[in-house]
Amino acid sequence: MKRVLVFLVLLSSGFLSAQSQKPSKAFKNLVEIMQGHYTSELQSKKDSTYFNISLRMTPIWKSKGAFLYVEQAMASKQDKPYRVRIYKLSERPDGKIVSEIYTLKDEKAWIGKYTDPTLFDALSEADLELKSGCEVVLERVSKNTFRGSTGEKSCPSELRGASYATSKVTVTKNSILSWDQGFDAAGKQVWGAEKGGYEFLKVN
């Protein structure tokens, strides 16, 4: 029964349906530049309050639309990522681009599989769960530059006493600036970087 409910949630979110409009140049541009391996090594060397983090975004399911398999890990422990996700990118009629976030029920089974994206063909929609309210809405602000965020309090979080989480993202051709923060019910920050976002530079 639970698998059926998950399937219906994914269907209602548009997961199984193709993008109705022809992808714009901006949309294709964003999908292309997001792909790759990034690290925050340079930032961590400049400021010890930031960790050296590895971020990998690998395209999967190309026949279904724009999907990215994502792993985020300490650079020294890339075989043990602390965040495993699938992003679904779609374009709204107003030109804004939505990145929906999905978790994997058995994420350990997929760690490291980015080396062969065809392996994800065995993954079904029922193996995923949508993080409702945590989608990031992005706008193109200039050539090869996109900026966006989650809703102000739309993304629920229980991590370290949080009530909700926010994400602010800027994507360029060779970098991603990502600022994730968690806040309690009173609006006090309880996790995440305090001074600014993580600066991920593209390695390849």
Side-chain angles (χ1 to χ4, degrees):
M1 180 65 178
K2 185 177 181 181
R3 290 173 68 90
V4 173
L5 291 174
V6 171
F7 178 86
L8 291 174
V9 169
L10 292 167
L11 180 61
S12 64
S13 72
F15 187 95
L16 298 176
S17 59
Q19 185 164 291
S20 57
Q21 65 190 76
K22 184 179 179 180
S24 67
K25 290 183 179 179
F27 179 79
K28 291 188 286 187
N29 180 211
L30 176 61
V31 174
E32 180 181 359
I33 65 176
M34 283 183 71
Q35 302 171 25
H37 179 205
Y38 302 78
T39 77
S40 61
E41 181 179 9
L42 183 60
Q43 184 184 31
S44 70
K45 289 180 177 179
K46 292 180 178 179
D47 188 338
S48 61
T49 63
Y50 290 88
F51 298 104
N52 183 5
I53 304 297
S54 168
L55 172 63
R56 296 180 184 274
M57 295 198 190
T58 305
I60 61 171
W61 294 339
K62 292 184 179 181
S63 63
K64 295 183 179 181
F67 295 90
L68 296 170
Y69 170 72
V70 180
E71 283 189 13
Q72 197 164 322
M74 297 292 293
S76 60
K77 298 180 180 179
Q78 295 187 48
D79 60 331
K80 296 179 180 179
Y82 59 83
R83 183 174 295 169
V84 178
R85 300 284 189 267
I86 286 180
Y87 294 173
K88 178 196 174 183
L89 298 169
S90 59
E91 190 171 17
R92 299 195 319 202
D94 63 4
K96 293 181 180 180
I97 299 169
V98 181
S99 176
E100 292 180 311
I101 317 298
Y102 292 84
T103 58
L104 292 82
K105 294 180 181 179
D106 186 16
E107 62 181 40
K108 289 183 178 180
W110 301 97
I111 292 174
K113 296 295 194 296
Y114 58 81
T115 57
D116 184 0
T118 62
L119 295 173
F120 289 92
D121 293 344
L123 187 67
S124 71
E125 290 85 357
D127 296 318
L128 309 179
E129 290 184 346
L130 173 67
K131 287 180 66 66
S132 182
C134 298
E135 63 276 4
V136 175
V137 180
L138 298 132
E139 291 186 82
R140 186 184 187 189
V141 295
S142 64
K143 185 178 180 180
N144 291 326
T145 302
F146 298 80
R147 187 173 295 124
S149 65
T150 56
E152 186 177 350
K153 296 182 179 180
S154 63
C155 181
S157 173
E158 298 180 352
L159 180 64
R160 301 174 194 167
S163 176
Y164 63 94
T166 62
S167 294
K168 299 175 182 177
V169 181
T170 299
V171 182
T172 73
K173 186 176 182 180
N174 296 304
S175 69
I176 293 178
L177 177 65
S178 178
W179 194 0
D180 298 333
Q181 297 171 285
F183 300 88
D184 64 18
K188 179 182 177 181
Q189 184 178 350
V190 292
W191 60 259
E194 297 181 2
K195 294 184 289 185
Y198 268 80
E199 300 171 6
F200 294 99
L201 301 181
K202 185 172 288 188
V203 178
N204 53 51

